Amino acid sequence: QVQLVESGGGLAQPGGSLRLSCAASGFTFSRYAMSWYRQAPGKERELVARFSTTNGSAESADSVKGRFTISRDNAKNTMYLQMNSLKPEDTAVYYCNAKGASIQTLRYEYWGQGTQVTVSS
């Protein structure tokens, strides 16, 4: 079965760091474009960072640019989000997203259950 499992969330102080992981299984990871989203209470889900295609350049939202770094390891079927210089406004549930990037997989999109990140003093 297809699974995306996020981990690494928790409580951090402002200015602190966390590294999120997204472990994928049940599909061909290398053929999917991977992204991180987040959703704070009462707000819409927003894109945090992504790979535009399976081999595309990394892109990030202006709100996290220079602080967060997205990466992926196809050999481990895992995507990461290194979060530095955390701010209280980064508090949200962070979700892993996989979207098919080939003609054969274009119609497929998967979501993880999310991991909570709380930034508070």
Side-chain angles (χ1 to χ4, degrees):
Q1 64 179 6
V2 171
Q3 279 195 300
L4 294 173
V5 181
E6 300 95 337
S7 62
L11 177 65
Q13 297 285 321
S17 297
L18 289 171
R19 189 174 82 150
L20 306 184
S21 298
C22 171
S25 61
F27 64 96
T28 306
F29 183 79
S30 62
R31 295 184 181 273
Y32 282 72
M34 302 297 297
S35 302
W36 285 101
Y37 287 76
R38 69 184 181 187
Q39 187 167 26
K43 294 185 178 181
E44 297 294 319
R45 186 171 298 185
E46 65 173 340
L47 178 68
V48 177
R50 70 174 181 181
F51 293 97
S52 57
T53 66
T54 54
N55 300 116
S57 299
E59 303 172 351
S60 60
D62 289 342
S63 60
V64 306
K65 194 166 296 181
R67 300 188 297 119
F68 293 7
T69 302
I70 188 173
S71 62
R72 65 188 291 170
D73 187 338
N74 287 345
K76 295 182 179 294
N77 288 355
T78 303
M79 177 177 65
Y80 305 95
L81 185 68
Q82 179 65 48
M83 309 165 67
N84 298 326
S85 302
L86 284 163
K87 303 176 180 180
E89 50 263 45
D90 295 320
T91 296
V93 177
Y94 284 72
Y95 296 93
C96 177
N97 172 266
K99 188 173 183 179
S102 71
I103 294 175
Q104 293 79 14
T105 61
L106 195 61
R107 75 184 187 95
Y108 297 114
E109 185 172 17
Y110 307 114
W111 292 91
Q113 291 299 303
T115 185
Q116 176 71 49
V117 171
T118 302
V119 184
S120 176
S121 60

